[in-house]
């Protein structure tokens, strides 16, 4: 899926990839690629559903009415974003015209055309700031159209497996499109590709969904039946056995809790000042064993005064474990850190000069 025809023009749709469970590839909702990584297991302590659903009529008309109501409520808060060479989606964050989307949608550009559900022509928007580390960005409309409707944001702690969700956006340039599915899992950690426009971000606590996510859905809305946005669709799985085609029913959305954290800081300060993401304070590279399999992360440089430096780690040490997570590559180290918090004290296992060692590290912040 290298492109699509939109309004008579062939538009490039930004690709993102990562490996999934050692087999399938994850493509950002804007394409496909080849970088490899993996996802973490689903979180075991799944929250209870927000409330019990009312009994449905046998003919399904009650559920259909719910779908129609949610679509009517939420679609006015979902926009299409056109950049010079890319296409994506976004959600209206506030009445001042701030739009939240994926960082890979905005890329390196600063000016965009935004089509809203209020009608009329496209509105120019400018970049406020992007935060590639979490694949999020905020842009702002130059003029706020009458009737602009901010999205209602949900509660990430109440997202549970089995909940019905709708994905809204502009897949393949088809604006105001809706697909449906369920929350398949929570607590996933996914690493994007850095190829073809991807940010290379490792994102924790993602929501996995069976709702179809396709190129152009990036930055749109994953919505529950209370008309609340619970996530921003960001990645869709592809299957290498299908020639890189989309693997049905495996998509990932950034949880709304992280969306709020990042967007509020960008709007307030023009940048992210408190990432909430743990850091070890090292530059490293993946090392391989005698069979050429990834076997750890060799520290190339230790940041002075950082977490690793304070714990006595040195350049040349090879990290093999962080807490309960085995470390075999740079990607696995990033995923382990994505599941931890700044200020958390954790045991790191490493080798120095061929001898195994352990140290307690108090994690810093990106």
């Amino acid at each position: 899926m290298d492109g699509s025809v939109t309004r008579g023009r062939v538009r490039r749709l930004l690709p993102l990839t990562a490996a999934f469970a050692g087999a399938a590839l994850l493509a950002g909702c804007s394409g496909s690629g080849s970088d490899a990584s993996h996802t973490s297991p689903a979180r075991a302590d799944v929250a209870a559903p927000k409330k019990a659903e009312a009994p449905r009529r046998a003919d399904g008309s009650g559920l259909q009415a719910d779908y129609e109501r949610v679509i009517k409520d939420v679609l006015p808060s979902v926009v299409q974003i056109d950049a010079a060479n890319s296409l994506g989606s976004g959600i209206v964050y506030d009445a001042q015209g701030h739009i939240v989307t994926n960082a890979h949608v905005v890329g390196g550009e600063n000016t965009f055309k935004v089509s809203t559900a209020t009608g009329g022509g496209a509105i120019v928007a400018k970049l406020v700031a992007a935060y590639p580390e979490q694949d999020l960005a905020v842009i702002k409309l130059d003029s706020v159209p009458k009737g602009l409707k901010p999205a209602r944001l949900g509660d990430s702690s109440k997202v549970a497996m089995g909940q019905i969700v709708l994905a809204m956006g502009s897949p393949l340039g088809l604006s105001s499109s809706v697909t449906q599915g369920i929350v398949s899992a929570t607590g996933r950690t996914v690493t994007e590709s850095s190829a073809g426009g991807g940010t290379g971000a490792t994102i924790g606590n993602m929501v996995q969904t069976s709702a179809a996510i396709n190129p152009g859905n990036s930055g749109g809305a994953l919505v529950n039946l209370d008309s609340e946005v619970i996530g921003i669709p960001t990645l869709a799985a592809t299957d290498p056995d299908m020639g890189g085609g989309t693997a049905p029913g495996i998509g990932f959305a950034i949880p709304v809790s992280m969306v709020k954290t990042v967007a509020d800081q960008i709007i307030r300060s023009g940048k992210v000042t408190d990432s909430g993401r743990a850091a070890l304070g090292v530059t490293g590279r993946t090392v391989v064993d005698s069979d050429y399999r990834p076997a750890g992360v060799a520290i190339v440089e230790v940041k002075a005064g950082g977490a690793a430096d304070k714990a006595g780690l040195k350049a040349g040490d090879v990290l093999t474990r962080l807490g309960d997570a085995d470390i075999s590559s740079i990607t696995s180290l990033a995923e382990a850190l994505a599941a931890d918090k700044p200020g958390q004290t954790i045991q790191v296992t490493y080798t120095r000069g061929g001898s195994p060692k352990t140290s307690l590290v108090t994690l810093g912040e990106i």
Side-chain angles (χ1 to χ4, degrees):
M1 295 187 294
D2 292 326
S4 66
V5 178
T6 305
R7 296 187 298 282
R9 296 177 294 157
V10 176
R11 303 302 309 276
R12 180 177 66 83
L13 300 173
L14 300 170
L16 292 176
T17 61
F20 176 55
L25 295 179
L26 297 180
C29 36
S30 307
S32 62
S34 60
D35 280 9
S37 150
H38 68 282
T39 65
S40 72
R43 192 173 64 206
D45 54 336
V46 177
K50 183 174 181 179
K51 63 181 179 180
E53 292 188 2
R56 302 294 175 194
R57 290 174 54 176
D59 63 2
S61 60
L63 185 57
Q64 177 175 313
D66 282 347
Y67 286 172
E68 293 174 353
R69 171 183 51 79
V70 173
I71 290 168
K72 182 179 179 180
D73 285 347
V74 181
L75 267 185
S77 303
V78 181
V79 304
Q80 179 172 304
I81 300 172
D82 282 271
N85 296 299
S86 63
L87 176 100
S89 304
I91 61 170
V92 179
Y93 194 72
D94 59 27
Q96 287 70 52
H98 290 103
I99 307 293
V100 178
T101 185
N102 284 130
H104 77 260
V105 170
V106 303
E109 300 184 42
N110 292 300
T111 303
F112 315 89
K113 292 181 179 179
V114 175
S115 300
T116 70
T118 56
I123 302 171
V124 174
K126 293 186 173 61
L127 179 68
V128 179
Y131 186 56
E133 292 86 348
Q134 195 67 34
D135 200 358
L136 290 170
V138 176
I139 63 177
K140 190 175 188 297
L141 300 174
D142 279 0
S143 60
V144 179
K146 185 177 180 180
L148 190 71
K149 183 179 180 180
R152 288 177 53 206
L153 304 183
D155 183 345
S156 292
S157 69
K158 295 180 180 179
V159 176
M161 291 175 64
Q163 288 180 335
I164 296 172
V165 290
L166 304 179
M168 302 184 185
S170 299
L172 304 176
L174 300 171
S175 62
S176 300
S177 292
V178 182
T179 57
Q180 65 86 25
I182 64 169
V183 173
S184 305
T186 59
R188 295 294 197 190
T189 297
V190 182
T191 298
E192 301 177 357
S193 171
S194 56
T199 67
T202 296
I203 307 172
N205 202 32
M206 293 191 85
V207 179
Q208 182 181 331
T209 180
S210 63
I213 295 175
N214 291 291
N217 271 122
S218 290
L222 188 68
V223 185
N224 63 22
L225 291 188
D226 291 319
S227 300
E228 297 171 332
V229 176
I230 63 168
I232 288 187
T234 300
L235 296 168
T238 63
D239 187 345
D241 293 334
M242 298 171 59
T246 300
I250 306 177
F252 298 90
I254 297 173
V256 72
S257 57
M258 181 54 69
V259 174
K260 292 177 183 177
T261 296
V262 170
D264 285 348
Q265 291 180 65
I266 287 177
I267 292 169
R268 181 176 61 249
S269 306
K271 61 182 179 179
V272 174
T273 56
D274 181 5
S275 70
R277 291 171 58 94
L280 193 54
V282 300
T283 301
R285 61 179 178 83
T286 301
V287 295
V288 297
D289 60 19
S290 57
D291 294 321
Y292 300 101
R293 294 175 300 190
V297 172
I299 297 177
V300 176
E301 183 180 358
V302 177
K303 179 181 178 181
D309 185 32
K310 292 178 181 178
L313 297 176
K314 300 178 180 179
D317 293 344
V318 178
L319 308 177
T320 57
R321 195 171 180 82
L322 186 69
D324 295 329
D326 289 327
I327 305 302
S328 60
S329 65
I330 284 289
T331 297
S332 62
L333 176 59
E335 291 178 348
L337 288 168
D340 295 325
K341 299 294 183 183
Q344 181 178 346
T345 298
I346 194 167
Q347 180 172 283
V348 60
T349 302
Y350 59 99
T351 60
R352 177 179 293 170
S355 300
K357 294 181 177 295
T358 61
S359 292
L360 289 178
V361 177
T362 300
L363 298 172
E365 186 174 23
I366 292 177

